[in-house]
């Protein structure tokens, strides 16, 4: 009998219950007990939704991040929080975001500290808190979180499969703060893992899912050897280990994975189909093979009939050794399609969210175990939906395909070199040295959210909504004038999300009501659904930004999201290459850039925050991606005159190893995240002569902490050691949408003061 299981479930709740509970706690509006109770209720609800599985994951729930959870389980706390004697959950939030809750008197509790560095989880839009190591790091087991959730699950009658991050991946994910060799810590780490597994065995656990996704990356000999060391040390555990990989192919790591002394292996059969036949040959006759046959990263229905055609011979060969699951944790998709009441009915019939994906698993298992006739109605309905989507005229637009065919190399070229452009832009903009700006958004206040909600519900007409947004834009302009910033933004009051806002105005997109996905902590995004060929029927931002520019003589940045980021932060169609879809987006956003220029906007920022996260996990595949990604950006940006200054922005991405590709984008200025990494992300500039302007972020906007003028000056001095001062801008790490005005004003005041100090000391 084929068995089915899940690698992880979305934890935010179908209605973002966890988000709102976290933010209420952090604001001091609810108690710690309230938050913990909500967490317990969500876990119970999610286990119930998974009750049809043979094995249900436990330990996949986190109040902020699963990697941070693992750090606390292993007792690996940064030194700056080790002396905290309060509640462990508050210390957890201190690492996650710099501080925990506010007391009733509005004084910050739990002592502000530097938040842990945050970066992308492999090639997803999820962010994790980076573990910190030194040569002296010690580990000590704290299994309380797992044991608590295990007891809850058992009380609910759940057939449990605890989920933990494996020791080799855990070390790989972290950063050695003293440049020591992370792998030298493995001998100290493995006894703690062995103790954890023994603790779980003592609770009657049979299977433990141990995630080692780095097996789908290109590993050098030292890391490959670490896998053998780790799992030969853990092979005497009394629990059975299901080693899980996902997000790609094992390729040259097949032999390594197949021969590790574990009871089972999970592989991504969506992205790594070519791995399966060689693995079946290599696996010993007693090992379970779990195949991730349902895409855990996208929301399209699985072609169940095609999957069964492929699976049936494998099931005959493996028998009860075959398990089925999604390709990866369902953390990356929304919870339940059934909650969508307004989504276009035709497009909805093509989709599957987390709950529906588990239903697809059950159909596959039933067909394999009892025959296809047992689920004939389900398979027939699935076949009809797949066919309808393939043939829909809404998906295919001949005019868009014709425009794509006309793309040539000239479309991506600026008229002159950066050196020539910079002289013309300097004469026009007249900016001081160390010019100050922000990344785009200002706080999304309760008034903004109320106006948007009332407009969508029909309680506020278009004229009233426009007036409300204009009032917020005017406020942003006034605040920036008072601060003395050098290049303004309009604040993006009218925008719900930097991708969804544009998708709503492009043909080829659809939108869910409740398709929320966790990005980090309490931050959720609702990726738009890119289902068809893309075109722009009319201007999208020109009216708002022109209005903002009319209120001031200071240069106003036009704010756009770039094609690569729109692609990577959408649920993208899977029926054509991503490169084709990206170039369709590039042509559409190019039209907007040209319209902004015609309207007199002299500075235009095209955000490519997600450029790096789209990189394949294997470096050997990077160049192909970078070629079409950079080409798409250049198509978007390079139709303008020399005098128009093009900016781009990238956040929370290690980009040192793609610095040449970023230079090839040829933006006049790039702003990046560097504050949490203490400017370490600028190390690439020590060996690469980056020619254009660069703004290393000096204000960590993902933390409520307010940077001092002295701290900003110190960061910029570090930047000036790597980048010529005439190229440097001063700006926050990212947009200010999630912050409060009470935090933003003092932080930006200090930033502007720091820029003045820098002009005096380094000018």
């Amino acid at each position: 009998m084929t068995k089915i299981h899940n690698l992880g479930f979305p934890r935010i709740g179908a209605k973002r219950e966890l988000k709102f509970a976290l933010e209420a706690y952090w604001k001091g509006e609810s108690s710690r007990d309230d938050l913990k109770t909500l967490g317990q209720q969500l876990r119970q609800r999610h286990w119930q939704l998974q009750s049809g599985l043979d094995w249900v994951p436990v330990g996949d729930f986190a109040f902020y991040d699963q990697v941070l959870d693992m750090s606390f389980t292993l007792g690996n706390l940064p030194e700056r929080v080790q002396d905290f004697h309060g509640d462990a959950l508050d210390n957890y939030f201190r690492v996650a975001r710099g501080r925990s809750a506010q007391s009733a008197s509005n004084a910050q509790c739990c002592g502000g500290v530097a938040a842990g560095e945050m970066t992308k989880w492999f090639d997803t839009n999820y962010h994790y808190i980076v573990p910190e190591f030194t040569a002296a790091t010690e580990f000590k087991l704290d299994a309380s979180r797992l044991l608590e959730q295990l007891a809850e699950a058992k009380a609910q009658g759940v057939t449990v499969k605890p989920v933990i991050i494996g020791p080799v991946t855990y070390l790989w994910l972290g950063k050695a703060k003293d440049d020591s060799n992370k792998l030298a810590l493995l001998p100290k780490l493995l006894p703690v893992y062995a103790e954890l597994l023994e603790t779980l065995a003592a609770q009657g656990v049979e299977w433990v899912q141990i995630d080692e996704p780095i097996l789908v990356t290109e590993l050098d000999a030292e890391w490959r050897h670490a896998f053998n060391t780790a799992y030969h040390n853990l092979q005497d555990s009394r629990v059975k280990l299901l080693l899980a990989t996902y997000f790609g192919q094992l390729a040259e790591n097949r032999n390594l994975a197949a021969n590790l002394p574990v009871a089972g292996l999970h592989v991504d059969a969506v992205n790594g189909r070519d791995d399966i036949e060689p693995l079946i040959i290599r696996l010993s006759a007693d090992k379970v093979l779990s195949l991730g046959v349902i895409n855990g990263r996208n929301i399209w229905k699985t072609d169940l009939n095609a999957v069964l055609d492929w699976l049936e011979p494998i099931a005959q060969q493996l028998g009860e050794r075959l398990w089925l699951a999604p390709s990866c944790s369902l953390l990356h998709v929304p919870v339940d399609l059934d909650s969508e009441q307004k989504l276009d009915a035709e497009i909805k019939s093509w989709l599957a969210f987390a709950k529906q994906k588990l239903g697809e698993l059950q159909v596959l298992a039933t067909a394999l175990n009892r025959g296809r006739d047992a689920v004939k109605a389900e398979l027939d309905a699935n076949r009809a939906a797949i066919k309808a989507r393939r043939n829909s005229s809404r998906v295919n637009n001949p005019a868009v395909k014709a425009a794509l065919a006309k793309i040539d190399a000239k479309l991506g070229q600026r008229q002159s070199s950066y050196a020539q452009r910079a002289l013309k832009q300097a004469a026009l903009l007249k900016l001081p040295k160390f010019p100050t700006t922000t990344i785009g958004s200002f706080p999304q206040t309760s008034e903004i959210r109320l106006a948007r909600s009332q407009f969508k519900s029909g309680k506020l007409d278009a004229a009233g909504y426009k007036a409300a947004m204009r009032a917020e834009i005017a406020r942003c302009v006034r605040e920036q004038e008072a601060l003395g910033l050098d290049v303004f933004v309009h604040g993006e009051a009218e925008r719900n999300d930097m991708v969804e806002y544009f998708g709503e105005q492009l043909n080829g997109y659809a939108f869910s009501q409740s398709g929320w996905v966790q990005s980090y902590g309490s931050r959720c995004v609702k990726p738009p659904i890119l289902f068809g060929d893309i075109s722009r029927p009319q201007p999208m931002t020109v009216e708002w930004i022109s209005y903002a520019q009319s209120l001031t003589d200071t240069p106003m940045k036009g704010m756009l999201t770039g094609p690569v980021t729109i692609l990577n932060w959408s649920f993208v169609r899977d029926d054509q290459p991503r490169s084709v879809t990206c170039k369709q987006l590039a042509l559409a956003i190019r039209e907007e850039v040209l319209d902004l220029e015609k309207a007199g906007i002299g500075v235009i920022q095209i955000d490519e925050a997600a450029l790096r996260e789209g990189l394949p996990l294997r470096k050997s595949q990077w160049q192909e991606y970078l070629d079409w990604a950079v080409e798409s950006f250049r198509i978007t940006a390079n139709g303008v005159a020399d005098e128009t200054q093009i900016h781009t922005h990238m956040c929370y991405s290690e980009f040192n190893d793609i610095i040449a590709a970023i230079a090839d984008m040829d933006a006049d200025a790039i702003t990046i995240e560097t504050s949490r990494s203490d400017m370490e992300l600028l190390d690439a500039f020590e060996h690469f002569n980056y020619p254009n302007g660069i703004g290393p972020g000096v204000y960590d906007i993902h933390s409520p902490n307010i940077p001092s003028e002295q701290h900003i000056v110190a960061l910029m001095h570090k930047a000036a050691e790597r980048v010529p001062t005439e190229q440097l801008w001063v700006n926050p790490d990212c947009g200010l949408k999630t912050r409060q005005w009470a935090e933003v004003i003092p932080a930006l005041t200090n930033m502007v003061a720091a820029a003045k100090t820098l002009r005096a000391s380094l000018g």
Side-chain angles (χ1 to χ4, degrees):
M1 297 288 284
T2 298
K3 293 188 176 181
I4 55 176
H5 69 110
N6 188 21
L7 275 64
F9 198 81
R11 51 198 178 230
I12 58 170
K15 299 180 180 179
R16 293 183 291 164
E17 295 93 327
L18 181 58
K19 167 190 173 64
F20 299 120
L22 284 169
E23 293 174 354
Y25 176 62
W26 294 336
K27 293 175 183 176
E29 296 170 356
S30 67
S31 70
R32 190 182 300 117
D33 287 343
D34 291 336
L35 178 61
K36 290 182 176 180
T37 298
L38 184 278
Q40 185 175 15
Q41 291 170 347
L42 283 175
R43 290 191 292 271
Q44 291 174 351
R45 191 181 310 161
H46 297 161
W47 289 329
Q48 181 60 39
L49 287 172
Q50 299 173 85
S51 60
L53 302 176
D54 293 297
W55 300 101
V56 174
V58 172
D60 54 329
F61 179 89
F63 277 116
Y64 202 96
D65 166 50
Q66 72 268 15
V67 181
L68 183 59
D69 278 11
M70 200 69 213
S71 291
F72 272 70
T73 298
L74 298 170
N76 180 29
L77 278 60
E79 185 177 356
R80 60 187 177 276
V81 303
Q82 288 180 3
D83 293 333
F84 183 70
H85 299 296
D87 186 90
L89 186 61
D90 283 317
N91 211 21
Y92 173 89
F93 290 137
R94 292 170 83 220
V95 180
R97 58 191 298 271
R99 60 181 71 242
S100 185
Q102 292 178 317
S103 69
S105 63
N106 205 36
Q108 297 287 359
C109 104
C110 310
V113 296
E117 185 176 343
M118 188 162 61
T119 196
K120 299 290 177 69
W121 174 249
F122 294 87
D123 58 348
T124 75
N125 186 33
Y126 178 78
H127 304 64
Y128 73 92
I129 302 297
V130 178
E132 299 176 24
F133 307 122
T134 67
T137 293
E138 299 289 339
F139 302 98
K140 182 179 180 181
L141 180 65
D142 178 0
S144 57
R145 173 188 62 90
L146 263 175
L147 293 177
E148 178 182 322
Q149 294 184 26
L150 196 60
E152 292 174 13
K154 285 183 175 181
Q156 195 172 327
V158 172
T159 306
V160 298
K161 172 171 58 69
V163 177
I164 59 175
I165 295 171
V168 187
T169 290
Y170 179 75
L171 290 175
W172 187 87
L173 292 170
K175 178 176 286 188
K177 305 299 284 186
D178 58 358
D179 295 324
S180 58
N181 180 7
K182 296 183 291 184
L183 276 178
L185 296 172
L186 189 61
K188 293 197 285 187
L189 182 59
L190 290 176
V192 181
Y193 268 86
E195 184 183 357
L196 173 58
L197 296 177
E198 179 58 32
T199 300
L200 295 173
Q203 297 298 313
V205 169
E206 180 181 0
W207 282 91
V208 172
Q209 175 186 317
I210 190 161
D211 288 1
E212 293 281 11
I214 67 166
L215 276 167
V216 302
T217 68
E218 291 159 338
L219 300 171
D220 62 27
E222 187 179 23
W223 285 94
R224 290 167 63 86
H225 178 68
F227 271 101
N228 280 312
T229 299
Y231 287 93
H232 280 87
N233 271 273
L234 298 176
Q235 66 180 326
D236 294 331
S237 167
R238 290 191 293 147
V239 297
K240 298 175 183 177
L241 294 182
L242 178 72
L243 189 145
T245 73
Y246 37 82
F247 298 152
Q249 298 174 294
L250 287 168
E252 76 280 358
N253 294 327
R254 289 172 193 157
N255 282 340
L256 172 63
N259 291 314
L260 291 174
V262 293
L265 180 66
H266 170 86
V267 292
D268 183 339
V270 173
N271 296 296
R273 177 73 69 92
D274 292 343
D275 286 329
I276 308 310
E277 185 176 343
L279 278 174
I280 292 173
I281 296 170
R282 289 168 171 79
L283 281 182
S284 62
D286 59 341
K287 279 189 181 178
V288 163
L289 178 61
S290 168
L291 298 181
V293 294
I294 305 291
N295 194 334
R297 293 275 298 274
N298 215 328
I299 58 173
W300 306 106
K301 279 185 174 175
T302 304
D303 187 339
L304 298 179
N305 292 280
V307 170
L308 281 171
D309 290 343
W310 177 69
L311 276 178
E312 284 170 341
I314 297 175
Q316 290 177 0
Q317 188 174 356
L318 294 180
E320 63 182 12
R321 293 169 52 212
L322 176 63
W323 291 13
L324 301 180
S327 58
C328 61
S329 169
L330 297 177
L331 172 71
H332 310 287
V333 296
V335 176
D336 187 5
L337 187 64
D338 292 341
S339 62
E340 297 293 330
Q341 302 302 318
K342 295 182 181 178
L343 185 65
D344 180 287
E346 181 182 16
I347 294 170
K348 184 177 178 180
S349 72
W350 303 339
L351 306 180
F353 290 0
K355 176 184 172 183
Q356 288 71 38
K357 288 178 183 292
L358 297 180
E360 290 182 328
L361 267 185
Q362 291 178 305
V363 171
L364 291 173
T366 302
L368 291 175
N369 292 331
R370 295 169 48 198
R372 295 198 192 198
D373 285 346
V375 282
K376 184 178 184 302
E378 290 89 339
L379 292 176
D380 287 347
N382 177 263
R383 181 183 290 108
I386 298 297
K387 181 179 179 181
R389 178 186 167 210
R390 184 183 302 122
N391 297 332
S392 174
S393 60
R394 299 175 66 186
V395 172
N396 304 292
N397 184 334
V400 174
K401 289 178 169 59
L404 206 66
K406 294 179 181 177
I407 290 176
D408 59 23
K410 292 181 180 179
L411 213 61
Q413 298 294 329
R414 287 294 288 266
Q415 296 174 13
S416 306
S417 68
Y418 170 73
Q420 294 172 297
R421 303 193 310 262
L423 291 173
K424 296 178 182 179
Q425 292 165 14
L428 182 67
L429 297 173
K430 298 180 173 58
L431 299 176
K433 201 168 183 179
F434 297 103
T436 56
T437 190
T438 61
I439 303 306
S441 59
F442 271 94
Q444 289 267 315
T445 64
S446 57
E447 292 84 3
I448 292 173
R449 291 193 295 270
L450 177 62
R452 183 180 299 124
S453 174
Q454 290 180 334
F455 178 53
K456 286 188 174 183
S457 66
K459 295 179 181 178
L460 183 65
D461 63 16
Y465 176 72
K466 182 177 180 178
M469 295 303 101
R470 283 194 165 202
E472 291 292 340
I473 290 170
R475 176 187 181 179
C476 284
V477 172
R478 290 196 305 272
E479 296 288 5
Q480 290 172 95
E481 287 182 330
L483 286 163
L485 291 165
D486 299 307
V487 175
F488 289 4
V489 297
H490 78 295
E492 303 181 13
E494 80 287 0
R495 302 186 190 183
N496 44 6
D497 174 82
M498 65 182 290
V499 173
E500 185 175 6
Y501 174 80
F502 290 96
E504 285 177 337
Q505 301 181 77
L506 293 170
N507 292 330
Y509 265 104
F511 302 89
S512 63
Q513 290 171 274
S514 305
W516 296 100
V517 177
Q518 185 180 26
S519 178
Y520 64 87
S522 68
R523 173 71 169 148
C524 301
V525 295
K526 185 154 59 71
I529 301 164
L530 199 167
F531 70 86
D533 290 332
I534 295 295
S535 61
R536 185 196 76 142
Q538 60 192 19
M540 301 179 285
T541 68
V542 175
E543 181 181 354
W544 297 114
I545 293 169
S546 296
Y547 172 69
Q549 184 66 84
S550 74
L551 301 176
T552 180
D553 293 329
T554 302
M556 179 69 60
K557 275 196 294 190
M559 298 302 307
L560 304 173
T561 304
V564 184
T565 296
I566 294 178
L567 180 87
N568 286 333
W569 287 356
S570 298
F571 288 123
V572 180
R573 59 190 294 189
D574 56 359
D575 59 343
Q576 70 179 14
R578 292 171 69 86
S579 58
V580 173
T581 305
C582 196
K583 288 175 185 176
Q584 291 180 359
L585 287 162
L587 290 174
I589 304 301
R590 177 187 175 92
E591 293 175 6
E592 189 73 14
V593 171
L594 295 177
D595 279 348
L596 282 169
E597 185 182 52
K598 289 175 186 175
I601 303 302
V603 183
I604 302 172
Q605 181 172 309
I606 307 167
D607 288 341
E608 285 294 16
L611 179 80
R612 194 192 191 287
E613 83 179 40
L615 277 173
L617 295 177
R618 294 181 169 275
K619 288 189 176 181
S620 59
Q621 300 168 354
W622 282 13
Q623 196 57 53
E624 179 186 1
Y625 165 79
L626 288 171
D627 285 347
W628 61 255
V630 171
E631 180 187 7
S632 296
F633 178 84
R634 292 177 68 108
I635 289 169
T636 301
N638 288 348
V640 297
D642 287 347
E643 288 80 4
T644 298
Q645 189 173 81
I646 297 293
H647 290 225
T648 190
H649 171 68
M650 297 179 187
C651 58
Y652 290 95
S653 290
E654 298 278 355
F655 63 83
N656 291 4
D657 44 8
I658 61 166
I659 187 66
I662 291 173
D664 286 344
M665 294 168 68
D666 199 26
D668 296 304
I670 179 175
T671 50
I672 56 176
E673 177 278 324
T674 50
S675 66
R676 281 202 181 189
S677 68
D678 198 30
M679 294 288 164
E680 288 180 16
L681 285 178
L682 293 181
D683 288 349
F685 296 90
E686 294 178 356
H687 309 290
F688 185 89
N689 184 23
Y690 187 77
N692 302 11
I694 183 164
V698 293
Y699 166 20
D700 175 12
I701 66 87
H702 295 87
S703 169
N705 295 343
I706 296 170
S708 67
E709 176 186 341
Q710 294 77 14
H711 177 69
I712 294 171
V713 169
L715 287 176
M716 290 302 297
H717 274 280
K718 288 185 178 182
E721 294 171 1
R722 299 166 172 87
V723 180
T725 56
E726 60 269 16
Q727 293 174 230
L728 287 170
W729 287 66
V730 184
N731 47 263
D733 275 344
C734 203
L736 300 165
K737 175 181 179 179
T738 60
R739 299 266 56 90
Q740 305 295 317
W741 278 106
E743 301 162 336
V744 165
I745 295 299
L748 294 183
T749 298
N750 293 343
M751 191 184 83
V752 172
K756 293 177 180 177
T757 299
L758 290 164
R759 289 166 196 154
S761 62
L762 296 177

